[in-house]
Amino acid sequence: MNDANLRRLQQLIANYEIGVEYNLTIDDLEHSLSTSRRNTSIVLKCLSEYHWICWIPSKGRGKLSQFRILVSFPEALEQVLALQLEQGRFNVIPRLLESYGAPAIKALTLATEKHSLFNEQHDHLLITQYPWVDNLEPAKTYRTAEHHILRSLYNTLLVQDHEGKPQASLAHHWKMEGRFLHFWLRPNVLFHDDDTLTAKDVAQCLLRLKSLDGPVQSLFEQVRDVRVVGDKQLTIELTHANPMFLYALCSAHASIYRCKRTYFSSGRSAYMGTGPFSLDDWSEERLILKRHRGYFAQNALLEQITLTDIEGLDDHTLSFNKAGVAEETTINALSYLAVNRRERSGITLEDLDRLVSFIKSSSKEFDADMVTDDLSFSPSELTCSNPIPVLTGTVVLTRPKMTIPLLQDMADWLHKTIAKTGVTIEVIELPNISDPSSMSESADLLFIEEIIEQPKEYGLYDWLLASSGLRFIFNNSEMKTHCAKVRSAINCDNSFDELKQIEHSLYQQKLLCPLFHGKEKVFNSVEVHGVEINQTGYSDFYKLWISSREK
């Protein structure tokens, strides 16, 4: 069932009444469909298989064929939309709505009601307007939307509780002895293909984090070696003692998987995990998570979750960050500017510094409650805006694709604020959010929002080692020097104060400019429960559930 078949049905309805039997020749139908005899036969056979028409071809010379239209156009349209919903082909739906207008909207309402009943009976959930998912390699992605999925597909050695303290996960016990970390794995952990997790699998993942060129390589370079002691026991050797490293092992980047990929018809693939969901399908228009029934911990409450970026579906849905009134949560995310003093810039260094200072002083005009001066997220000390400076030149701003309306609003405000100064602005979309250095030679400013992990001491440490802004403005040599300072600070008695000094020196040098505290918006239909957004902006899909509608 597709749009072409709908158009053919429309042609027939324009010439014949619904439910009336006609005795016709193939020439009559060929004329009605304005196509060749061969195509006419193909169309009639196809529409007959859908039970939209009844067509009994004539047998014998001079005999007429029997023809009757069985369904109205709205009924056929509803069937097509219902099939798209069932198969998760969500990209087709907006085209049908645009082509057929009000009848399609009414048909979609009826189709979603039926699909909603199916979802309720089978514990299925549709999450709409979800940011696109392009990379599920734990060591290489820095996007929150992709981390949501990683946390559903994979597990880590340890997890953090609501206070940010490490707790058991794949490892049921651990011990720190200086720069050696010893872990004992649970005996009953199964991958999605029912193979058992071993210490060798864990060691391979952790060593890949150290060797792969990705956003958190600097965080895991301190791993000197990972030794397999037994089938369920391993030891991580660090270059130096670092209590912060336990928190790194709780992050989605440190997800444990088997180096065996699952391939999909779209050509995409992902590593085999142990998490509460397995990956059932992954294409440009949808991603489907299926409950892992052999999961070792708290089982997911839903059988299936489908994620798509389509708008306007109102069955059992959850929508992230769409415009309008919604439940809003303040999260520990920082929106900021990184300032790249490149040689071939179209603006002088002096004017670039003055521009950034003006942007910072004007930030309360966007939302005074969201303005922040550092990673403590304490209220800003800004009092009033600076006078608008008169500047010249062209500034090149790079930023990721804005899938969240609030961030798009920030970006629009940023563009207008820059324009006030007389500076010409050129905006280039950051092609890969996990590799901001790809734009270092082309852009002067990077605007980005990043999640700050918990607890705050680790969040600052992690951000100073892996933030996109630093990877945008520093070359490899400068980044190594900076990371060495951060690691040295960790060994001090007052390590947090030392890290704060490094943070503020970046602001004082006008290399980074903090702007706003983050917010997360979530819309859900009344039957969807278990939506919990923590301070780091992550929501655990395995906690979601659907209640029956009141009769």
Side-chain angles (χ1 to χ4, degrees):
M1 294 183 186
N2 55 37
D3 192 21
N5 294 322
L6 285 170
R7 289 196 299 271
R8 292 302 189 186
L9 180 64
Q10 269 188 318
Q11 287 178 295
L12 293 173
I13 290 175
N15 290 280
Y16 306 99
E17 291 186 29
I18 298 169
V20 177
E21 185 174 309
Y22 295 87
N23 294 311
L24 305 168
T25 66
I26 190 70
D27 293 335
D28 296 324
L29 294 170
E30 182 181 333
H31 178 73
S32 298
L33 293 170
S34 302
T35 188
S36 68
R37 177 166 296 204
R38 181 175 179 276
N39 283 342
T40 298
S41 296
I42 293 172
V43 169
L44 293 175
K45 182 181 178 182
C46 185
L47 298 186
S48 294
E49 290 175 351
Y50 297 158
H51 302 291
W52 289 357
I53 65 169
C54 176
W55 176 55
I56 303 176
S58 62
K59 294 182 178 179
R61 182 173 295 179
K63 298 290 181 72
L64 297 176
S65 300
Q66 294 179 15
F67 173 78
R68 181 190 298 138
I69 299 175
L70 301 177
V71 298
S72 67
F73 182 75
E75 289 172 330
L77 187 55
E78 180 189 335
Q79 289 179 29
V80 172
L81 287 165
L83 184 63
Q84 309 310 312
L85 288 171
E86 180 184 338
Q87 295 180 345
R89 298 181 61 202
F90 302 113
N91 288 350
V92 177
I93 295 174
R95 294 203 300 270
L96 294 174
L97 295 177
E98 183 177 352
S99 298
Y100 299 108
I105 295 173
K106 184 176 180 180
L108 180 60
T109 301
L110 295 172
T112 52
E113 285 179 359
K114 294 176 181 177
H115 194 64
S116 176
L117 180 60
F118 176 88
N119 279 355
E120 180 181 310
Q121 293 171 341
H122 295 83
D123 286 328
H124 288 192
L125 175 67
L126 173 64
I127 298 182
T128 65
Q129 288 190 260
Y130 195 82
W132 86 101
V133 176
D134 193 49
N135 188 346
L136 291 177
E137 175 93 33
K140 292 189 175 182
T141 177
Y142 209 64
R143 295 182 59 236
T144 304
E146 291 166 349
H147 281 202
H148 277 293
I149 310 301
L150 295 181
R151 290 175 181 272
S152 295
L153 298 177
Y154 307 114
N155 294 107
T156 48
L157 284 174
L158 305 173
V159 294
Q160 290 174 282
D161 61 19
H162 289 296
E163 297 178 354
K165 296 177 181 177
Q167 301 294 333
S169 183
L170 292 178
H172 67 85
H173 182 67
W174 67 97
K175 181 171 62 174
M176 293 187 69
E177 293 180 334
R179 57 190 182 87
F180 294 92
L181 286 74
H182 308 284
F183 293 91
W184 288 263
L185 303 180
R186 294 181 186 274
N188 58 338
V189 179
L190 298 177
F191 285 103
H192 296 145
D193 63 354
D194 293 332
D195 281 354
T196 304
L197 174 74
T198 68
K200 183 179 177 181
D201 296 314
V202 178
Q204 286 180 332
C205 291
L206 296 179
L207 288 172
R208 278 173 59 83
L209 278 171
K210 173 186 177 180
S211 59
L212 281 179
D213 183 17
V216 293
Q217 186 179 28
S218 58
L219 192 60
F220 288 89
E221 282 178 335
Q222 60 192 291
V223 175
R224 175 167 289 173
D225 194 16
V226 182
R227 291 194 291 275
V228 175
V229 179
D231 189 48
K232 300 296 180 183
Q233 185 180 350
L234 67 146
T235 296
I236 300 174
E237 180 185 358
L238 303 179
T239 56
H240 56 276
N242 182 4
M244 291 285 187
F245 190 72
L246 279 181
Y247 299 106
L249 294 174
C250 300
S251 72
H253 296 293
S255 295
I256 304 302
Y257 50 85
R258 197 154 144 241
C259 291
K260 172 185 176 182
R261 288 184 174 272
T262 303
Y263 290 87
F264 304 98
S265 58
S266 63
R268 297 171 184 256
S269 65
Y271 287 117
M272 188 75 64
T274 61
F277 289 97
S278 63
L279 192 55
D280 189 62
D281 193 22
W282 182 21
S283 65
E284 289 186 2
E285 60 182 338
R286 66 176 184 175
L287 185 149
I288 299 178
L289 302 173
K290 281 283 185 75
R291 175 161 52 191
H292 178 201
R293 295 190 175 275
Y295 189 49
F296 71 92
Q298 180 182 342
N299 278 309
L301 300 174
L302 295 176
E303 182 64 30
Q304 176 177 305
I305 296 178
T306 302
L307 301 103
T308 175
D309 61 359
I310 193 174
E311 302 178 23
L313 297 181
D314 295 321
D315 73 7
H316 292 311
T317 62
L318 185 71
S319 295
F320 282 81
N321 296 299
K322 70 178 183 180
V325 179
E327 183 177 339
E328 193 172 79
T329 304
T330 298
I331 60 174
N332 285 344
L334 179 70
S335 297
Y336 67 98
L337 285 173
V339 185
N340 182 26
R341 294 186 169 92
R342 61 192 181 102
E343 290 183 2
R344 299 179 182 178
S345 176
I347 186 172
T348 66
L349 292 180
E350 181 183 358
D351 277 3
L352 184 60
D353 284 347
R354 292 177 65 195
L355 175 63
V356 173
S357 295
F358 175 66
I359 292 169
K360 176 63 178 177
S361 74
S362 305
S363 54
K364 282 203 170 186
E365 296 174 7
F366 177 77
D367 187 328
D369 293 334
M370 292 178 64
V371 176
T372 188
D373 294 334
D374 57 25
L375 266 65
S376 69
F377 296 114
S378 53
S380 174
E381 296 181 1
L382 282 176
T383 54
C384 60
S385 301
N386 292 345
I388 301 175
V390 178
L391 308 175
T392 58
T394 299
V395 68
V396 180
L397 171 71
T398 186
R399 55 177 176 78
K401 180 180 178 182
M402 295 300 178
T403 57
I404 299 175
L406 177 61
L407 291 180
Q408 183 60 61
D409 291 343
M410 287 182 190
D412 293 342
W413 166 84
L414 183 59
H415 300 168
K416 291 175 183 176
T417 303
I418 292 173
K420 288 179 183 179
T421 68
V423 169
T424 301
I425 180 172
E426 179 184 346
V427 179
I428 302 177
E429 185 175 300
L430 182 62
N432 181 1
I433 193 171
S434 298
D435 183 20
S437 63
S438 63
M439 291 299 297
S440 296
E441 295 185 2
S442 309
D444 306 295
L445 297 175
L446 166 68
F447 174 65
I448 197 165
E449 181 188 63
E450 290 179 334
I451 295 293
I452 307 302
E453 301 289 351
Q454 295 300 297
K456 62 182 181 180
E457 294 83 1
Y458 173 70
L460 177 56
Y461 168 74
D462 170 72
W463 189 72
L464 289 174
L465 284 179
S467 68
S468 298
L470 295 177
R471 289 182 287 122
F472 170 66
I473 63 176
F474 286 155
N475 60 33
N476 288 338
S477 175
E478 292 167 337
M479 192 66 183
K480 285 183 178 180
T481 301
H482 167 78
C483 290
K485 290 180 182 177
V486 174
R487 296 191 185 105
S488 177
I490 283 295
N491 294 322
C492 298
D493 293 335
N494 53 346
S495 58
F496 186 54
D497 290 338
E498 293 292 327
L499 292 176
K500 292 290 291 181
Q501 285 184 25
I502 295 174
E503 177 197 5
H504 283 276
S505 72
L506 295 169
Y507 305 150
Q508 290 161 6
Q509 296 175 67
K510 297 183 180 177
L511 296 175
L512 301 179
C513 176
L515 293 173
F516 304 110
H517 204 157
K519 288 184 179 179
E520 182 94 344
K521 285 186 176 183
V522 176
F523 294 69
N524 60 289
S525 57
V526 294
E527 298 86 11
V528 180
H529 301 273
V531 182
E532 296 179 7
I533 303 293
N534 63 25
Q535 283 190 318
T536 53
Y538 297 123
S539 176
D540 293 317
F541 290 153
Y542 73 88
K543 294 180 180 178
L544 299 176
W545 57 284
I546 298 172
S547 65
S548 300
R549 296 172 185 256
E550 293 184 6
K551 306 298 183 185

